[in-house]
Each structure stands twice: as C-alpha cells, then as structure tokens.
Amino acid sequence: MREFSGILRGGGEAIHGVLPCSFQGFFNISCLSKVLDLPPENLIKSISAVPVSKKRRVADFQLSIASVTEDNSSDCLAPDLHLQAQKLAERLKCDAVVSEISAGPGTVNFTINRELLAKTVLRQVLKDGSEYGVKSELFSTVPKQKALIEFSSPNIAKKFHIGHLRSTIVGNFIANLKVALGHEVIRMNYLGDWGMQFGLLGVGFQLFGNKEKLKTSPLQHLFEVYVQVNKAAEDENTKKLAKDFFRKLEEHDEQTLSLWKQFRDFSIDEYIRIYKRLGVHFDEYSGESFYQEKSKEVLNMLENKGLLQKTIKGTGIVDLSEKKDLSSFSTVMRSDGTSLYITRDLAAAIDRMNKHNCDTMIYVVSKSQSNHFQHLFQILKLMGYDWVERCQHVSFGLVQGMKTRRGEVIFLEDVLNEVRSRMLQNMASTKTTKEIEDPMETAEKVGLAALIIQDFQGLLSSDYQFSWDRALQSRGDTGVFLQYTHARLHSLEQMHGNEQLTDINVACLQEPDAISVLQHLLRYDEVLYRSSQDLQPKHIVSYLLTLSHLAAVAHKTLPVKGSAPELAQARLCLFQAARSVLANGMKLLGITPVTQM
Ligand code: ARG
C-alpha cells in the first residue's frame, strides 16, 4: 500500500504551492495525482462534494472513476469501475485530514475529519465573504473574458411582454454571474427604436399626442397613441402621412428627428427608473436606429463579397443553403432598398465587435427568434467574421398566463406593481407587517424573488405556466421561502450579536443537522461552476433551496437561545455562514435579500 500521508493538508493549514481540489483545500492534488497515477487536471474535475439529500450521506467528497479515466469510461463496465475504485482506495491511507476512505460503485469516498470540516468551511466562508466559491480552483483554468451581454431590448411604444421580462432577469443573472467570476461585462439594451411603426407613431402623436403626458408617463402615453393611430391607420390618408413621416426620419429631417428623439429619450428615462426597481442597470442603451446608416454598408459588403442576390421582386437575399440552391435563405433588403431587422442586427454585431473587441457576445432573446439568430450567425460566418463562433444566442421558452388583476400585462411596471400588492396582502394576512419598517419595499423585494425563482427553477428553454399563487407561496420551493430564511437567519444574528466569530469550538458542531449544512456549503463552488458553464440559473436555485431547507431544519434542532455560550457561539457561526452563502447566491440571481419580513 502506498502512503497517503502528505497527500492531504495537515491540520487544515495551507501548504503553499500545491493545488487544492477546490477552494476547500482539503486535497493536495499534485501528491494525489502521483499516488494514483492520474493527471491532476482530471482529478480537479473528478473530485466533488457529495450532494446532500434527504438520506444522510456517507462521505463528504467523492472521486468519480468514470470521469477521472475519461477516455475509456464509456466502455468500462460497472463492475470494472467498482473494482477500479477499490484498487485506488487501497492505495490511499487515512490521516489527520481524511478520517475515512471507502470504495463505492464507481467512486472513492472521502470523509473529512469532522472538526476540520467545520473549521475549514466556516473559516473560508466568513473570510471570503461575497467571494466565497469564486476563488475555487475549479475556475483557475477558465480564462478571464470580456463579454457583451445584450438583454431586455423592448420596443418603444409597444408592449413590454413577458418575453422581455424573462430576457431582463436572465440577462441580468448572466451578467451578475460573469462579473462575480471576474469577467468584464458590458450590459447592453438594444431597443426597438426604428422601423415603419415610428412613422405611424409620429403621425399619431401629431393627432393625439400630449407633450405633458409624454414627459410624465412616456411609455404609457406612447403606447396609447400607437394603439389609437393604428385604428385610424385604416384610412389611406393616415397611411400616407405615416410613410412620409418615416421617410423624413430616414432622411434625417431635423424636426422629425427631434420628435423621435424625444420619444426615445423620455422612454429610456422611464425605463431606467423601472429597471432600478428590479435592480437592473445597463451600461449602454443601443438600438436599431443606430444601425440604419450602417445597414447600407452591410448591404454593400454583402454585394462586394458576392453574397447578395436580387429576387425578381427586387428584394435582396443571402443564400444560406449548403448546395447553394436557395433551399434556405435570408431576406436582408426590401425592394425599395431599405434595411430589415436582420440587416440592422448584422450591422450592430459588426459594430459591437469593432468597438468593444469582446471575447464573447451573448444575446438573451426568446426562442421564438432562434431562426433569426441562426441566420444572423450564418451570414456573419459567410462574411468571414470568425468571431461569430464566440457569439451565442441564449434562448428561453414561452411563459403562459401572466395576467394582472387589471388584465393583460402591457408595461413592466404593471408586473412590479402587481407582485408588490399581492405580496403586501399576503404579508398583512400573516400579521407580521406591523413591525416592518418599509413594508412596500420589503413586499417588492420578496415578490420579485418569487417571480425570479419561479422563472429560474426549470431549464430556461422550457415553457411554463405562470401562477401568482404558486410563486408567492411562503412554503415549499419558492423565492418567498428563500427570503424568509434569509430574514430569519439575519434576525438571529441581530438578536445574538454578529461580531466576527473567530475562535469557536468546532466540537460543538457535530450533530447531523449541522454537518449537513457544512457539507452543503462545500458544494457551492461546483454549483457556480455548472451555472457558469451552461448559463442555466437552475443549479444555483436548487442549491439555495436545499441550503434554506437544511438551515431551517438546523435552526429548529440546534437552538442558539438558551444554549451554553460556547455552543451558542458555534451555532451562530454556522448560521452566519449559511446566511452569507444564501445572500451571495440570491444576489447573483438578481434578488435583493431582505432582513425582515
Ligand atoms: N426588440 C426585439 C423584440 O422585442 C428584441 C431584440 C433582440 N435583440 C436583437 N439583437 N435582435 O422582439
């Protein structure tokens, strides 16, 4: 049997110059790699914390044989894997850090010395604060990137539909996550601020508009004007006026442009205010209008590269088929020579890349536009822009049935007001509101958490049926439950003092319910890693829900109040660590943790 001693860190003290398995630093990977005769990179990805489930788990970490011996894993039979696990386990010996090593079906299982587990995890969580998990070895091979993330992107004077809301919260999450992991992020809002509808809107405003209303509530007013003028547009005269208005806009007629600019500027001001309620901001408000001129250049480029074909009707198309038989194509120019949505997107993509020189460009847009983005990327590729390989359309499914009491959702603000008032009502019925300093604000934050968790629970690509009742339940897997747990843990700290707890006696944290929380805290970096790989928030959501459940159980069985000082202090420290990780995760998802509710 080969010696295991020296493979692990002694007494929780860091040995410099060796790779820890992950942030927890229990394993000395370079030694482990020698003893097991396996490449260290494989080991880092193959050792993971064992997920905590209802059943108590046997070990803290496991080494997956299938993933460590990646290349031949597929033809390895299960009994073989078990045998391999046994053989590897035999080479290792327990020491001061690892108190137990066993072989399972395809895994080598490690149990960490109980006191060391508590000490190391708590120390790390409290020391790293908001950076806990982020400094993990798992991220060491991931290069830091500059990412441009385009999200929300509503259309001026039109409805802000649920798709825009989904794009807003998903994009915000991706941006938050990337920033937390040390990447540079540009948050961009690409407004629908150009097109024939602005001709109609311009005429509508001349007929039904009101400058005062435009200033005070631009989104609502422009929408109303747009609806009104659409009814009026049945008659030929209005149609003609609209065409004229848009033509003038395209010709940059000063007066026309100035009115359009007011529509845009006032709308953006109001959006900024509403996004703020959601905790969302943008670095850049771009829009289709910017690319009106540049679209012409794109058409020229397509022409020069021999990619632009004219149909009999005079429209411009790009052949996207492999056999060049037009079995698949994209229309990029109207017969009158003007640009289309996709032409503007082509110009926008090229411009963004030139301007920001980013490593990756992400579009967070509903899956109903998958075809559009496929075409966009295909054309960019044909044009010779290899960076298109680094562009990604993050799509999401349809949400059905989101209605407010007033009816259909038209504005983002409707949703925010609705969730706030519903939450306020729920809070009033539980009679706790009286003690809350700002019930409106608390209701809003809790309500938003509910919306976000309901939305992020499944795969983004799946459609779901929206339900206010389900989202706002205080028990079960909801955002309300996360907020409630956070608030309770916070008030526990308030009640018992939350000074930096350093010298706690970890021997006091040996109950199974305490160990479960600690074991779960071990996994946070892996969960962040998964979400960073597939950009799906659900991994973090289910992690936080489990953390809240475990913390709630521990809160019941491990009282702080009335316990001996040493015990109380150790427990307090455990709860503080749980709350800190809970808060970190919630913030990544775009939720502001509340301290009372
Ligand atoms: N404004 C568009 C819409 O509401 C979404 C824009 C998506 N982004 C883009 N680059 N095409 O449908």
Side-chain angles (χ1 to χ4, degrees):
M1 185 193 286
R2 283 167 79 167
E3 288 286 306
F4 193 31
S5 62
I7 289 166
L8 301 162
R9 295 176 160 206
E13 298 304 318
I15 298 170
H16 295 289
V18 292
L19 281 176
C21 134
S22 55
F23 75 94
Q24 297 90 353
F26 289 111
F27 296 93
N28 177 334
I29 292 289
S30 60
C31 293
L32 202 54
S33 128
K34 270 190 220 137
V35 176
L36 298 178
D37 202 13
L38 292 165
E41 320 80 72
N42 277 15
L43 276 175
I44 293 176
K45 297 233 165 91
S46 307
I47 299 182
S48 56
V50 183
V52 182
S53 61
K54 295 242 164 61
K55 273 193 287 168
R56 294 257 173 251
R57 59 186 192 179
V58 274
D60 302 312
F61 289 102
Q62 61 186 22
L63 170 69
S64 150
I65 305 297
S67 88
V68 89
T69 54
E70 254 166 29
D71 23 52
N72 60 357
S73 63
S74 51
D75 23 81
C76 244
L77 295 165
D80 268 0
L81 287 177
H82 201 164
L83 206 67
Q84 280 191 46
Q86 264 166 353
K87 278 193 188 150
L88 287 186
E90 275 165 19
R91 293 194 198 174
L92 307 168
K93 210 175 102 185
C94 296
D95 66 2
V97 177
V98 172
S99 59
E100 221 180 298
I101 301 167
S102 65
T107 59
V108 179
N109 306 320
F110 302 92
T111 304
I112 304 292
N113 168 306
R114 280 340 199 187
E115 294 192 8
L116 193 61
L117 174 77
K119 193 154 134 193
T120 315
V121 172
L122 295 179
R123 191 192 281 167
Q124 195 91 41
V125 173
L126 299 176
K127 185 176 117 240
D128 287 352
S130 63
E131 291 196 327
Y132 175 74
V134 167
K135 293 178 175 172
S136 164
E137 204 56 48
L138 280 174
F139 297 107
S140 66
T141 54
V142 183
K144 297 278 176 276
Q145 291 191 322
K146 183 171 181 181
L148 188 149
I149 305 172
E150 187 222 279
F151 62 105
S152 199
S153 309
N155 303 319
I156 289 175
K158 289 198 185 167
K159 263 192 291 193
F160 187 102
H161 55 73
I162 181 85
H164 293 122
L165 176 63
R166 261 201 124 173
S167 168
T168 311
I169 58 178
V170 173
N172 185 46
F173 158 70
I174 296 175
N176 289 347
L177 181 63
K178 289 211 178 264
V179 168
L181 296 177
H183 302 288
E184 192 185 333
V185 167
I186 300 158
R187 298 161 181 258
M188 181 179 280
N189 197 332
Y190 181 72
L191 297 170
D193 60 359
W194 203 255
M196 255 311 277
Q197 78 261 31
F198 282 88
L200 216 49
L201 188 66
V203 174
F205 196 77
Q206 283 157 355
L207 291 173
F208 319 107
N210 175 314
K211 288 244 163 182
E212 217 27 62
K213 281 190 188 163
L214 177 66
K215 262 188 210 151
T216 50
S217 46
L219 301 182
Q220 172 142 9
H221 186 56
L222 289 177
F223 179 76
E224 281 164 6
V225 167
Y226 191 60
V227 170
Q228 258 176 306
V229 73
N230 259 301
K231 279 184 200 142
E234 319 268 280
D235 84 83
E236 287 306 312
N237 189 35
T238 320
K239 271 189 196 152
K240 191 185 162 297
L241 288 174
K243 248 193 181 151
D244 286 348
F245 189 96
F246 188 57
R247 190 179 40 74
K248 278 202 225 152
L249 206 51
E250 296 222 79
E251 288 165 358
H252 293 185
D253 169 72
E254 218 172 287
Q255 245 187 337
T256 321
L257 210 57
S258 137
L259 185 60
W260 167 84
K261 199 171 167 322
Q262 284 185 44
F263 296 163
R264 187 178 192 274
D265 290 349
F266 284 128
S267 297
I268 292 179
D269 284 346
E270 192 171 3
Y271 265 125
I272 291 176
R273 176 180 67 73
I274 303 166
Y275 283 133
K276 212 167 169 190
R277 277 179 69 179
L278 258 177
V280 171
H281 74 274
F282 291 91
D283 301 309
E284 221 177 295
Y285 279 85
S286 147
E288 294 183 39
S289 62
F290 284 76
Y291 299 103
Q292 191 46 30
E293 290 302 305
K294 292 208 166 80
S295 293
K296 289 182 192 135
E297 289 166 32
V298 168
L299 291 173
N300 283 338
M301 276 154 77
L302 287 169
E303 176 108 62
N304 294 339
K305 287 180 199 273
L307 294 166
L308 190 69
Q309 298 185 29
K310 292 254 174 72
T311 63
I312 318 167
K313 284 184 190 157
T315 55
I317 59 171
V318 177
D319 191 353
L320 298 173
S321 65
E322 230 164 86
K323 293 186 187 150
K324 297 291 159 226
D325 57 2
L326 288 175
S327 54
S328 156
F329 67 89
S330 171
T331 308
V332 291
M333 189 184 79
R334 287 203 187 85
S335 54
D336 62 2
T338 54
S339 66
L340 287 142
Y341 180 51
I342 192 156
T343 333
R344 298 193 276 275
D345 251 330
L346 285 165
I350 298 167
D351 184 58
R352 280 177 204 178
M353 254 316 168
N354 283 342
K355 203 160 127 203
H356 296 291
N357 192 18
C358 27
D359 299 297
T360 161
M361 216 147 70
I362 295 175
Y363 296 86
V364 188
V365 186
S366 132
K367 72 178 175 195
S368 64
Q369 295 197 26
S370 289
N371 251 334
H372 168 79
F373 285 102
Q374 235 166 29
H375 286 182
L376 176 66
F377 297 161
Q378 276 175 320
I379 300 175
L380 288 167
K381 176 100 196 166
L382 287 173
M383 291 174 88
Y385 293 113
D386 290 331
W387 46 254
V388 72
E389 306 290 345
R390 293 180 269 121
C391 292
Q392 192 182 353
H393 171 211
V394 172
S395 68
F396 48 81
L398 227 80
V399 184
Q400 269 139 0
M402 185 193 259
K403 280 212 173 80
T404 67
R405 289 189 178 116
R406 285 172 42 201
E408 197 193 359
V409 174
I410 296 172
F411 306 109
L412 174 55
E413 205 159 29
D414 294 338
V415 183
L416 301 183
N417 291 344
E418 180 83 6
V419 78
R420 181 171 65 190
S421 79
R422 285 186 187 250
M423 198 56 226
L424 212 52
Q425 209 173 31
N426 288 5
M427 281 163 50
S429 67
T430 57
K431 286 186 263 175
T432 50
T433 11
K434 281 180 224 101
E435 301 117 50
I436 295 177
E437 279 155 34
D438 191 342
M440 287 277 266
E441 203 180 308
T442 304
E444 175 140 316
K445 286 176 182 156
V446 178
L448 282 175
L451 279 189
I452 291 174
I453 295 300
Q454 164 150 295
D455 197 275
F456 285 0
Q457 229 155 20
L459 264 182
L460 292 178
S461 59
S462 35
D463 306 337
Y464 72 92
Q465 187 70 34
F466 182 85
S467 154
W468 289 107
D469 289 339
R470 185 161 20 89
L472 293 171
Q473 269 165 19
S474 55
R475 283 161 203 271
D477 291 342
T478 65
V480 183
F481 174 59
L482 290 189
Q483 288 284 28
Y484 178 68
T485 309
H486 184 271
R488 273 182 80 191
L489 294 175
H490 186 268
S491 65
L492 193 69
E493 282 168 36
Q494 294 297 303
M495 233 160 6
H496 300 278
N498 61 346
E499 73 273 21
Q500 267 304 320
L501 301 158
T502 39
D503 284 323
I504 58 147
N505 181 0
V506 283
C508 295
L509 294 174
Q510 299 309 310
E511 295 89 348
D513 290 337
I515 300 279
S516 290
V517 172
L518 291 165
Q519 286 177 321
H520 193 60
L521 292 175
L522 274 181
R523 278 192 74 221
Y524 187 58
D525 65 335
E526 292 169 25
V527 171
L528 291 183
Y529 184 76
R530 281 185 78 176
S531 279
S532 75
Q533 292 296 296
D534 62 10
L535 302 181
Q536 297 285 338
K538 69 171 190 143
H539 310 299
I540 297 177
V541 170
S542 82
Y543 175 88
L544 295 180
L545 289 166
T546 304
L547 178 61
S548 297
H549 284 294
L550 294 172
V553 171
H555 193 229
K556 245 189 229 144
T557 61
L558 311 172
V560 173
K561 200 174 164 188
S563 296
E566 203 182 38
L567 191 60
Q569 206 189 21
R571 287 177 178 172
L572 210 51
C573 184
L574 177 77
F575 291 125
Q576 194 178 328
R579 188 191 63 77
S580 164
V581 175
L582 182 59
N584 292 348
M586 287 165 80
K587 286 181 200 157
L588 287 183
L589 297 175
I591 298 171
T592 313
V594 299
T595 50
Q596 315 175 290
M597 68 177 274

